[in-house]
Amino acid sequence: MNEFEQLKLYLTNRDGYLRQKSLIALKNNFKPDVFPLLLRCLSDYVEANRQAAEENLKVWSKQQGFSKLCIDYFEDVVAIQDRVRRMRDIEQIIFESILSNLGYLQQVMFGQQGHRVRSIFQHVKKYQWINLLELERLCKFAKDPMLRVFWLQGVLHRNQTDELKNEFRQSSFGDIQRQLLQTLHLNGSLETETLLLAWQSKYKSVMDYACFVLKGRGFNFKAYFNQYPISSLDNHQEKIRVRQLMLMKWDKNELLQLISLTSNEELRAHVLISSLKSNYLSMEDIIYLSTLTYVQLNFSLQYIECLLRALTKQITVDELTILLGLTHECPSLLSKLGYLKYLDYWDRLYWIICLIEDDREHQPQVAYDLQQLLDEAIRDGRYVLFAPDSSWLPARIERVYAAILQHFQKQISPLQLSDYQKMLNILKKRCSL
């Protein structure tokens, strides 16, 4: 720890003499991380330290960029007003410095989010550093939602239908669109034209509310979809149609048609991942798409992993093989081992056997680790109660059976064989071995 870091620690030390020593040593040090510590020392219970901190800050106030620093640490500045011991002279200097740089203050307040922004806003409104009408106008475009609420309250208070509709069309914020849409609906002035515009919003909450109102009015969604068929949509409209179909749980054949017709691979991947998460599509639907000769599905391994994570149930080895066939990338051995968590016991066992037997050029250590993994999987078979999937062919069952017998010959004594007999019997029932 260097001397500077040590002095900063002294400023928070319980020993008043050490704090005083540090304040004197840092008098001409203008590094930004010292500033909040000096603000804290303004309420030091030792009067000499409070005065020393005040003198240091007065020197700081003459430096270029002091006002910007006060705004950057605005929460620390505000905190000194709520303490028992206060140095009012330096407080006045600090706030005068902030008021001298309203341009940067507005840049922070309307361009950022968080507690500091809201603290600045409360002070601006309380002490009217900015005219309230101007403040309301600026809050319309603020990034922080709490500031946008201040502007929205003014719009809702005036409650003018034309203004509400115009602001809904112009706003790019989902929370504002949702509130304006609800107000128009409650006022009885929400037209179908505005609802259809909301139904094409990029925000799910806005689309959901528009869909709810349209259903209540008996809107003919089927006629709407027929009026704008999938073949006539551009890329942006395809994305909107996907969200509409998934939101309404529409006939999934139409979604499958859209996936098969679109040339946007990123959209395809997004649709498949989202629909799997919501149980709108199943693994069988993806397999169906992969069998269509006119649909060229080509995903990266990253997208394949996302598809697997989106599944709500385990898949079979055959389904995993089909998924991996949708990419031209070759998964590493580590990736292949990562797929084990998406398989049930028997498919997991078969996958490990394939990794060992299909590629015998593994490094000795890798081959040993794979064999250990197989041995561990076979040992877990003592607790398995279910048979392999019905899609397993006799050849696959025989391959697994042979691997288990080979394991028994190496690892299991005759006394332990009875513990694993149940596992062998399950396989025998599935195939006459």
Side-chain angles (χ1 to χ4, degrees):
M1 183 182 297
N2 57 35
E3 182 182 1
F4 173 68
E5 295 294 331
Q6 189 69 51
L7 289 172
K8 284 202 306 180
L9 282 178
Y10 285 164
L11 285 178
T12 58
N13 196 283
R14 296 178 62 182
D15 189 335
Y17 290 106
L18 284 178
R19 295 198 301 275
Q20 185 179 35
K21 175 184 176 181
S22 181
L23 285 167
I24 294 172
L26 294 172
K27 184 173 184 178
N28 294 314
N29 190 306
F30 302 108
K31 291 185 178 180
D33 47 350
V34 176
F35 182 71
L37 298 174
L38 291 178
L39 292 174
R40 178 177 175 176
C41 289
L42 288 176
S43 59
D44 196 299
Y45 59 83
V46 178
E47 184 178 358
N49 290 349
R50 294 200 298 273
Q51 293 174 352
E54 183 180 32
E55 292 301 321
N56 284 12
L57 286 171
K58 285 181 179 179
V59 176
W60 275 65
S61 65
K62 297 179 173 61
Q63 302 299 313
Q64 186 177 4
F66 179 70
S67 60
K68 182 177 179 297
L69 194 64
C70 292
I71 295 171
D72 289 339
Y73 290 94
F74 192 83
E75 289 177 289
D76 297 283
V77 169
V78 171
I80 65 178
Q81 295 181 307
D82 299 326
R83 291 172 182 155
V84 176
R85 295 175 289 273
R86 297 174 60 180
M87 308 296 286
R88 298 184 184 276
D89 290 345
I90 191 61
E91 286 182 26
Q92 183 177 354
I93 293 173
I94 289 173
F95 282 102
E96 286 177 355
S97 177
I98 291 174
L99 288 172
S100 70
N101 197 356
L102 281 179
Y104 182 68
L105 185 76
Q106 292 184 35
Q107 180 184 336
V108 171
M109 184 166 58
F110 302 117
Q112 299 179 18
Q113 303 181 54
H115 291 291
R116 177 172 61 125
V117 168
R118 296 174 188 182
S119 179
I120 292 174
F121 171 72
Q122 293 299 330
H123 270 71
V124 169
K125 186 173 70 169
K126 181 179 179 180
Y127 299 106
Q128 296 191 18
W129 291 350
I130 300 176
N131 180 273
L132 288 180
L133 290 176
E134 178 67 9
L135 182 62
E136 180 184 320
R137 184 187 68 81
L138 293 171
C139 283
K140 175 181 178 180
F141 307 101
K143 284 190 175 182
D144 194 288
M146 294 299 293
L147 272 65
R148 295 199 296 269
V149 167
F150 177 72
W151 164 80
L152 184 62
Q153 287 173 343
V155 175
L156 298 180
H157 179 72
R158 292 188 289 273
N159 200 21
Q160 298 176 0
T161 301
D162 291 339
E163 182 183 14
L164 291 171
K165 290 180 180 179
N166 289 333
E167 295 297 349
F168 171 78
R169 291 186 176 91
Q170 294 174 11
S171 178
S172 59
F173 300 106
D175 55 334
I176 299 298
Q177 289 184 2
R178 176 70 167 73
Q179 186 62 51
L180 292 173
L181 198 67
Q182 183 177 5
T183 303
L184 286 169
H185 177 53
L186 295 176
N187 291 347
S189 53
L190 185 56
E191 302 167 348
T192 303
E193 179 185 358
T194 307
L195 277 172
L196 290 177
L197 184 64
W199 199 38
Q200 301 176 38
S201 172
K202 63 181 179 180
Y203 299 106
K204 185 177 180 180
S205 61
V206 178
M207 290 183 67
D208 189 34
Y209 192 85
C211 183
F212 164 75
V213 178
L214 287 170
K215 284 181 178 179
R217 296 183 180 183
F219 183 76
N220 192 338
F221 290 99
K222 187 173 183 179
Y224 175 84
F225 289 142
N226 291 336
Q227 184 181 357
Y228 303 99
I230 294 173
S231 57
S232 66
L233 304 179
D234 58 25
N235 284 342
H236 177 67
Q237 292 169 335
E238 284 178 351
K239 293 179 181 179
I240 294 173
R241 177 63 59 85
V242 165
R243 290 198 293 266
Q244 292 171 343
L245 294 175
M246 293 179 62
L247 182 66
M248 298 184 64
K249 299 291 184 181
W250 201 254
D251 182 7
K252 66 181 181 181
N253 289 326
E254 186 153 350
L255 182 62
L256 292 173
Q257 181 189 2
L258 189 151
I259 295 172
S260 63
L261 291 178
T262 184
S263 58
N264 190 332
E265 294 295 337
E266 185 177 349
L267 176 62
R268 279 180 177 170
H270 170 72
V271 172
L272 291 175
I273 292 169
S274 301
S275 56
L276 284 173
K277 283 183 178 179
S278 61
N279 287 326
Y280 184 37
L281 292 182
S282 63
M283 191 64 204
E284 289 74 16
D285 297 316
I286 297 180
I287 294 174
Y288 165 73
L289 284 173
S290 67
T291 61
L292 300 178
T293 55
Y294 60 89
V295 180
Q296 299 297 324
L297 297 178
N298 182 20
F299 300 138
S300 66
L301 282 175
Q302 182 180 0
Y303 274 125
I304 297 295
E305 182 67 28
C306 291
L307 284 172
L308 290 169
R309 286 201 299 266
L311 291 168
T312 56
K313 62 179 183 179
Q314 291 176 317
I315 61 173
T316 66
V317 166
D318 296 322
E319 291 171 338
L320 177 59
T321 304
I322 291 173
L323 274 182
L324 293 178
L326 302 181
T327 178
H328 295 310
E329 300 178 24
C330 182
S332 65
L333 177 61
L334 189 61
S335 298
K336 291 178 180 178
L337 290 173
Y339 301 145
L340 290 171
K341 59 179 174 286
Y342 303 112
L343 305 171
D344 68 12
Y345 173 75
W346 291 108
D347 285 304
R348 189 160 61 245
L349 184 61
Y350 179 68
W351 186 254
I352 297 172
I353 293 171
C354 291
L355 292 180
I356 294 174
E357 297 182 356
D358 292 349
D359 187 358
R360 298 184 179 276
E361 297 181 0
H362 295 302
Q363 296 293 332
Q365 183 61 45
V366 174
Y368 174 79
D369 291 340
L370 287 174
Q371 189 61 49
Q372 290 293 106
L373 186 63
L374 177 61
D375 293 341
E376 182 180 344
I378 292 176
R379 284 195 295 271
D380 291 340
R382 291 178 294 173
Y383 311 106
V384 174
L385 301 176
F386 58 91
D389 188 78
S390 58
S391 63
W392 275 41
L393 297 176
R396 180 179 297 179
I397 297 176
E398 291 174 5
R399 187 176 182 182
V400 173
Y401 191 88
I404 295 174
L405 285 180
Q406 185 179 7
H407 169 82
F408 287 169
Q409 294 170 3
K410 294 180 180 179
Q411 304 283 340
I412 307 299
S413 67
L415 294 176
Q416 294 175 305
L417 187 58
S418 59
D419 295 336
Y420 295 87
Q421 195 62 45
K422 179 180 62 176
M423 184 181 183
L424 295 172
N425 291 337
I426 290 175
L427 292 176
K428 286 179 179 179
K429 288 180 182 179
R430 286 284 284 108
C431 185
S432 56
L433 295 174

